Amino acid sequence: MEPMKYVIIIPDGCADGPIDELGARTPLEVADIPHMHRIAQTGRLGTVRTTPPDYSAGSDVCTMSLLGYDPVKYHPGRAPLEAAAMGLQLHPADWVFRCNLVTITDAVMQDHSAGHISDQEAHALLNTIRTALSGHADSPIQFHPGVSYRHLMTLRGHDFTGVKTTPPHDIPGQPVENFLPKGKGSELLKNLIAQSHAVLKNHEVNLTRRDLGENEATHIWLWGQGKAANIPTFAERFGKSGAMLTAVDLLRGIANLLGWQNIAVPGITSYHDTDYGSQGRATLAAIDQYDIVCTHIEAPDEASHQADFQTKIASLEAIDEHIVRPVLQKLADYPRWRVLIMPDHATYCTNRKHQDDPVPFAITGTHVPNAVPRRFTETDARASDLHVTKGHDLMDFFLHSGL
């Protein structure tokens, strides 16, 4: 029997709520996405809750759930997942934190991404932070540059068990005072955030951004802490090889821990300036080599965080045309295949935040029967009879149901 080919397409944060300017419709309901709708109309459509109780709807938690790993059992914290992407070797005594460059104006979180700051600018700022706040190579505090506004900080010799931190993208337009770190060890973290402002406020990068009217990187923001991750590989759990295509360190880190190949794609970014065609072509090439291919596109989520529903719609249409359409055409060459499309979580343009709503998913392919043809929208998914309450159960359904 021919082996089954599997493809997962993740338009990050594509699920949304009604938007007044769209006639109380969502971007999925407005966008011209015939190929996404085709998956729903020829297969199974439903909803899945990717955020367990008492967890936040972050991409770290929700993507692990989507890929078949119960966050309650396996989630080590967001920063350790990104450390895995960077190849950081964490000592057992190390705590690792996500370290955003952010814009805080008049004590309000203005922008979690410091205006989508460039890698070059961000690395220059982080090098200055490193010199000022860690000082030397043997310091217990170390900063590790990542992509754009996304970086890491490691701290050794302190205990942060039980400390509570908040993702900056969860508090747009809100005073930061109530969301600073709390609990054991939090004073050190709050001091580092406060000290970073003095270091950054007159940095030449920020002076240039100020002159250009761009958001400045006014502070670092520490969150998503944890210790080294240790989870079973995807082959150990499901017996299949895999590959990941993404522009986001977090997803690359999860892929590394799963034992998947990370495939570099020229021209892809986390925003709507990404090369959708390049990602589509790389996805097709990967299908020939791996049992399961996961292609992740960040652009809809970032547009939501900017309350930019028009760009979100444009990103969905580009994903449909340049990734979903050619994937469906490619899979038709194989005798046995399945494709799953879904976001990791919803992200609302109206409040610029991740939401823990159940999200729509659609599966089509070999031995996937169709019940009632519906469109790939939040409303149609809620109207279906298929609702998965534990997100990590969906992977087994995708891989094995009906076979």
Side-chain angles (χ1 to χ4, degrees), residues 155-171:
L155 248 168
R156 185 174 299 178
H158 295 268
D159 184 8
F160 297 100
T161 303
V163 73
K164 180 175 176 54
T165 59
T166 301
H169 53 257
D170 280 358
I171 54 171

Side-chain angles (χ1 to χ4, degrees), residues 28-47:
L28 279 175
E29 291 174 321
V30 171
D32 182 13
I33 48 173
H35 308 290
M36 294 188 198
H37 293 326
R38 176 183 158 196
I39 295 173
Q41 290 164 346
T42 59
R44 297 300 307 274
L45 175 70
T47 68

Side-chain angles (χ1 to χ4, degrees), residues 216-259:
E216 300 172 40
T218 62
H219 297 74
I220 62 170
W221 188 266
L222 303 172
W223 62 284
Q225 68 280 355
K227 306 194 84 172
N230 182 23
I231 65 175
T233 67
F234 198 85
E236 290 169 340
R237 278 181 55 76
F238 299 106
K240 300 187 183 300
S241 66
M244 175 71 75
L245 298 89
T246 182
V248 176
D249 273 349
L250 169 65
L251 275 291
R252 284 193 284 262
I254 292 174
N256 282 341
L257 292 172
L258 267 55

